[in-house]
Amino acid sequence: MSVRILALVGSLRAGSHNRQLAEAAVKLAPEGTSVDVYEGLADIPFYNEDIDVEGSVPAAAVKLREAAGSADALLLFTPEYNGTIPAVLKNAIDWLSRPYGAGALSGKPVAVVGTAFGQYGGVWAQDETRKAVGIAGAKVLEDIKLSIPGSMTRFAETHPAEDTEVAEQLTEVVARIQGHAAAPTAA
């Protein structure tokens, strides 16, 4: 069985270390699994129920919902902004949580990882992201975690894919998500 994992990156910065981490996941995905980094989170308007009605849902939000709906699992990469989740990632979760009870995240396996400059690697943002996607209906893979501290120095001259320790950890993360996504669901 082929497994498709959709990656959402919570940083819009061109040189984002979380973006680089997502690119590394693409390269390190095991055979039979693809990791696709979603492009376009910056184009999605802030969630507003007034525009989330049939016939007027913004095209960027429709595209995101379709991409998440066709994925077998999601892998979210989040930096930590002021101790919490970046607005762009929270906005994506809000759009994916609707329609209530039947959103694109409903029952879908989701793991959250990331890197941040601080000494804890963004664990607060990751915890908040897990909370938000769980409330949005996803099957949060609580046992899959990867927080990489000191991103500004650790990745100053090395891409995460070339950092042996990070590459091994990220390979394990993707393989474990693959296992959850490929596992038959209980009837």
Side-chain angles (χ1 to χ4, degrees):
M1 172 184 170
S2 177
V3 172
R4 182 173 171 264
I5 299 170
L6 181 66
L8 302 181
V9 180
S11 174
L12 301 177
R13 188 171 65 84
S16 163
H17 295 117
N18 280 284
R19 173 71 181 205
Q20 292 175 1
L21 202 58
E23 292 166 354
V26 171
K27 292 178 185 176
L28 299 168
E31 188 173 329
T33 298
S34 66
V35 176
D36 302 314
V37 179
Y38 187 80
E39 304 293 345
L41 289 186
D43 301 329
I44 302 168
F46 282 112
Y47 184 79
N48 177 345
E49 273 187 288
D50 291 342
I51 61 172
D52 189 12
V53 292
E54 193 170 330
S56 66
V57 177
V62 171
K63 181 181 170 196
L64 173 65
R65 285 176 171 168
E66 289 172 349
S70 67
D72 299 303
L74 279 80
L75 177 54
L76 309 184
F77 294 84
T78 186
E80 189 168 277
Y81 291 174
N82 297 314
T84 194
I85 180 174
V88 69
L89 189 54
K90 176 63 169 71
N91 188 50
I93 293 167
D94 290 344
W95 278 103
L96 293 172
S97 73
R98 305 296 179 146
Y100 181 76
L105 292 175
S106 189
K108 200 152 298 225
V110 177
V112 180
V113 300
T115 185
F117 179 65
Q119 66 181 337
Y120 302 112
V123 294
W124 289 349
Q126 290 179 33
D127 288 345
E128 290 295 318
T129 303
R130 285 185 196 93
K131 175 183 165 187
V133 295
I135 291 169
K139 177 185 173 190
V140 179
L141 304 176
E142 294 282 354
D143 61 326
I144 300 176
K145 296 183 179 178
L146 177 59
S147 302
I148 305 166
S151 61
M152 297 298 282
T153 53
R154 182 162 193 163
F155 303 127
E157 296 180 20
T158 304
H159 192 283
E162 296 164 4
D163 180 310
T164 304
E165 180 185 18
V166 170
E168 288 173 4
Q169 293 171 334
L170 194 55
T171 298
E172 176 68 17
V173 163
V174 175
R176 291 181 67 204
I177 296 168
Q178 176 194 37
H180 281 280
T185 57

